[in-house]
Amino acid sequence: DGRLEAGLSLVNDGATAGDTRLAGVDLRWQAAAATAMRAELARSSSDDPLRAADATAWLAEVEHVTESVEARAYLREQQPGFGVGQQLSTEGGTRKAGLDLRWRLSEAWSLENELLAQRSLSTRADRQLAAAELRYDHDVAGAGVGLRHVADRVPGQAVRRSEQAFLTGNLDVLDRKLTLRGSVEAALG
């Protein structure tokens, strides 16, 4: 009935220095009209001496979307050296857990929230982030005001904390062919 999808990916990237192979499986299940779940697992291996011999990555995610609420919760891990060179370098060697929420309060007003916990698998450093933004969007313009807290912990060092207030804005011009965006952030304390 189209509620369940499964996939298999196989990639072989040949190179002078050595071949890199990637195999992955993914699953998507539409649990209900507004709720979908997704899982992915992949492993890469390489003969290239500049790449990791073997590395894995995985993802588990649930998403719920209605007229008034959009929510996404996820867990993911990507070992150092995973992939065939297509991954963002900032994502390598990390484990993340997060929650993104958007509540539509009315036609124009919404409240957006983000929670994130991220850990470096090699250094054991971690980051915790919490943010909330009240947004007003109408036709060709929008604006938001919010607060953000970030705490970075590196083993053997003092915890670094940052509290910020921010303002954002956007304006569509030239018959919506160009969007101008701006933001201002200020440290609190």
Side-chain angles (χ1 to χ4, degrees), residues 127-157:
R127 167 171 279 189
Q128 296 176 347
L129 176 143
E133 179 181 15
L134 180 62
R135 288 211 43 91
Y136 178 82
D137 291 294
H138 183 67
D139 199 28
V140 298
V145 59
L147 297 171
R148 180 182 305 117
H149 166 79
V150 179
D152 290 315
R153 292 175 180 81
V154 176
Q157 297 181 18

Side-chain angles (χ1 to χ4, degrees), residues 33-46:
T35 305
M37 296 179 194
R38 183 170 65 117
E40 299 178 3
L41 175 63
R43 182 164 187 82
S44 64
S45 60
S46 183

Side-chain angles (χ1 to χ4, degrees), residues 94-173:
T94 62
R95 180 179 301 132
K96 287 183 177 182
L99 177 64
D100 298 322
L101 294 169
R102 181 174 189 217
W103 285 288
R104 183 172 297 282
L105 305 172
S106 69
E107 186 67 30
W109 290 94
S110 62
L111 182 61
E112 299 181 9
N113 299 281
E114 177 185 10
L115 297 173
L116 169 75
Q118 178 177 346
R119 171 162 280 198
S120 168
L121 299 174
S122 58
T123 67
R124 304 314 242 181
D126 64 45
R127 167 171 279 189
Q128 296 176 347
L129 176 143
E133 179 181 15
L134 180 62
R135 288 211 43 91
Y136 178 82
D137 291 294
H138 183 67
D139 199 28
V140 298
V145 59
L147 297 171
R148 180 182 305 117
H149 166 79
V150 179
D152 290 315
R153 292 175 180 81
V154 176
Q157 297 181 18
V159 176
R160 295 184 179 138
R161 288 186 172 83
S162 173
E163 279 78 27
Q164 299 172 320
F166 59 90
L167 296 169
T168 62
N170 60 283
L171 177 65
D172 292 338
V173 296

Side-chain angles (χ1 to χ4, degrees), residues 15-117:
T16 305
D19 295 346
T20 302
R21 294 155 300 285
L22 185 139
V25 294
D26 60 272
L27 181 68
R28 185 177 189 287
W29 176 44
Q30 191 71 40
T35 305
M37 296 179 194
R38 183 170 65 117
E40 299 178 3
L41 175 63
R43 182 164 187 82
S44 64
S45 60
S46 183
D47 304 329
D48 185 338
L50 299 177
R51 292 189 182 274
D54 292 294
T56 60
W58 56 266
L59 164 73
E61 180 179 272
V62 62
E63 187 174 53
H64 181 77
V65 178
T66 66
E67 269 190 43
S68 60
V69 175
E70 294 178 30
R72 180 175 69 103
Y74 60 89
L75 294 169
R76 68 176 70 172
E77 181 178 300
Q78 182 179 312
Q79 292 180 340
F82 171 78
V84 291
Q86 84 286 9
Q87 302 292 333
L88 291 172
S89 61
T90 57
E91 296 296 308
T94 62
R95 180 179 301 132
K96 287 183 177 182
L99 177 64
D100 298 322
L101 294 169
R102 181 174 189 217
W103 285 288
R104 183 172 297 282
L105 305 172
S106 69
E107 186 67 30
W109 290 94
S110 62
L111 182 61
E112 299 181 9
N113 299 281
E114 177 185 10
L115 297 173
L116 169 75

